[in-house]
Amino acid sequence: MIKELDKRYLKGLVKLDKLAFKPLAKRLGKYSGKGVKEYFELTLKKGKLFGYFINEKLIACVGIVINRKFKYGEVEHLLVNPNFQKKEVAKELMKFIENYAIKMQLKGLRLNVRCKNNNAIGFYEHSGYIKHAYIMAKELR
């Protein structure tokens, strides 16, 4: 079951983020968890977050922030508990968020994915997304 989330789910979302990224540490770098809660809070403030539940347990999520001026949505936080990956959960969530975007009369969706996350890149390409831009980042201390 997919339902809209609010601030009451922040703790579970942070835990889900850690679970989802922990197995990727070798390819993507050490998981820090820094700023994760704040990022979820920002998405809740500016957009919507939806959770995928099995037996009332949050096992996956996806979010969207809408740019109303240009009529596109930014997909955020597609996360699936590793125990439920490869079971079509991500596919179902993406279909859900795409249908939501259509209801909101958006012209398109965009998303960011880490360049070394080949499984996610393959999933998005298989779902019809194309590489559009590179986002460069630098950590400042």
Side-chain angles (χ1 to χ4, degrees), residues 2-20:
I2 298 172
K3 70 178 185 179
E4 188 173 342
L5 304 177
D6 58 31
K7 287 186 177 190
R8 292 176 290 173
Y9 291 94
L10 279 171
K11 188 175 180 180
L13 288 164
V14 170
K15 183 179 176 182
L16 178 62
D17 186 85
K18 186 174 185 175
L19 279 172

Side-chain angles (χ1 to χ4, degrees), residues 28-36 114 135-141:
L28 304 182
K30 184 180 173 189
Y31 178 85
S32 75
K34 201 161 78 174
V36 170
R114 294 186 185 187
I135 295 174
M136 308 297 286
K138 179 179 181 178
E139 297 251 345
L140 302 175
R141 297 185 182 166

Side-chain angles (χ1 to χ4, degrees), residues 10-64:
L10 279 171
K11 188 175 180 180
L13 288 164
V14 170
K15 183 179 176 182
L16 178 62
D17 186 85
K18 186 174 185 175
L19 279 172
F21 278 104
K22 192 174 180 181
L24 303 173
K26 284 185 180 177
R27 282 184 290 147
L28 304 182
K30 184 180 173 189
Y31 178 85
S32 75
K34 201 161 78 174
V36 170
K37 180 181 176 214
E38 294 79 8
Y39 187 27
F40 280 117
E41 289 174 327
L42 185 63
T43 302
L44 283 168
K45 183 178 178 181
K46 294 187 169 197
K48 302 270 186 193
L49 271 168
F50 300 94
Y52 190 108
F53 292 82
I54 293 180
N55 298 325
E56 298 183 29
K57 182 179 177 182
L58 177 66
I59 60 111
C61 69
V62 67
I64 186 169

Side-chain angles (χ1 to χ4, degrees), residues 27-28 94 100 107 116 121:
R27 282 184 290 147
L28 304 182
M94 285 305 290
Y100 180 82
K107 295 179 181 177
K116 293 181 181 178
I121 292 167

Side-chain angles (χ1 to χ4, degrees), residues 50 62-64 75 90-106 108-109 111 123-124 126-129:
F50 300 94
V62 67
I64 186 169
V75 178
K91 185 177 179 180
E92 194 173 333
L93 280 171
M94 285 305 290
K95 190 68 177 160
F96 175 87
I97 211 70
E98 289 170 2
N99 286 333
Y100 180 82
I102 290 167
K103 277 193 243 176
M104 299 303 292
Q105 300 178 331
L106 301 182
L109 290 172
L111 56 85
F123 168 76
Y124 293 126
H126 188 261
S127 299
Y129 291 77

Side-chain angles (χ1 to χ4, degrees), residues 66-111:
I66 296 173
N67 181 316
R68 297 197 188 285
K69 181 178 178 183
F70 296 106
K71 293 192 174 255
Y72 75 88
E74 189 80 31
V75 178
E76 306 284 353
H77 311 288
L78 180 61
L79 301 168
V80 179
N81 179 314
N83 295 329
F84 296 92
Q85 291 177 358
K86 309 275 189 226
K87 295 183 181 181
E88 308 264 320
V89 174
K91 185 177 179 180
E92 194 173 333
L93 280 171
M94 285 305 290
K95 190 68 177 160
F96 175 87
I97 211 70
E98 289 170 2
N99 286 333
Y100 180 82
I102 290 167
K103 277 193 243 176
M104 299 303 292
Q105 300 178 331
L106 301 182
K107 295 179 181 177
L109 290 172
R110 298 178 185 169
L111 56 85

